Amino acid sequence: GSEGAIALAPSIKELKLLTILSIGDNNIGSKGMAALGPSIKELKSLTTLYINNNNIGSEGATALASAIKELKSFSSCYIGNNDLGSEGATAFASAIKQLKSFIQLSIEMNKIGSKGAVALAQAMKELKSCTHLDIGYNNIGSEG
């Protein structure tokens, strides 16, 4: 849960050579993500993050977006089933569009709706190297 994520955060930032971080299925919530965000930001070698099924919500997505936007080698994120909503998807899209090495996003089952889908579509225009996008089960509708 969030308490575990808060406890782990100081240690994670010391893993300077970490390339893959898998913290999925831990119900860390937005508070846990807020604690992990600054630590993730220090992981300059991070390429892949598995954070699916953690209920981080839009606040957690915003914290994560702030953390990853300057990680130049960050290329893959599995953030499915986190209840991001359109606000969280928009924040995340804004961050990844700056990452020229980004190739894979699984953001399924997050209730991003049409607004979130439009934000992701705009980000994808910037991500010429993206090879995999999973946006299933998001209630996108015809506008998205």
Side-chain angles (χ1 to χ4, degrees):
S2 61
E3 298 85 10
I6 292 166
L8 281 173
S11 298
I12 287 175
K13 73 178 178 181
E14 300 303 322
L15 302 172
K16 303 295 185 192
L17 300 178
L18 191 69
T19 58
I20 299 171
L21 178 59
S22 180
I23 51 177
D25 297 294
N26 281 299
N27 198 29
I28 64 172
S30 60
K31 288 181 182 178
M33 190 64 250
L36 287 169
S39 295
I40 290 171
K41 189 175 188 173
E42 299 297 318
L43 302 176
K44 303 301 182 193
S45 297
L46 189 68
T47 62
T48 306
L49 177 63
Y50 294 91
I51 193 163
N52 48 307
N53 302 314
N54 269 304
N55 197 30
I56 65 171
S58 62
E59 289 179 30
T62 301
L64 179 58
S66 178
I68 65 166
K69 67 183 178 184
E70 295 177 31
L71 298 179
K72 301 301 180 201
S73 59
F74 192 67
S75 61
S76 300
C77 189
Y78 300 83
I79 192 170
N81 198 24
N82 270 298
D83 200 23
L84 304 184
S86 61
E87 186 178 318
T90 300
F92 197 77
S94 178
I96 62 169
K97 75 179 181 182
Q98 300 173 44
L99 303 172
K100 301 306 177 202
S101 63
F102 199 81
I103 59 170
Q104 185 164 339
L105 176 62
S106 291
I107 193 167
E108 73 284 354
M109 298 186 299
N110 271 299
K111 304 174 191 164
I112 67 170
S114 59
K115 288 182 182 178
V118 168
L120 283 171
Q122 291 170 345
M124 291 299 124
K125 289 179 185 177
E126 304 293 322
L127 298 172
K128 305 295 184 204
S129 60
C130 189
T131 60
H132 177 91
L133 175 64
D134 182 353
I135 57 171
Y137 303 99
N138 270 303
N139 197 25
I140 291 172
S142 59
E143 292 178 26

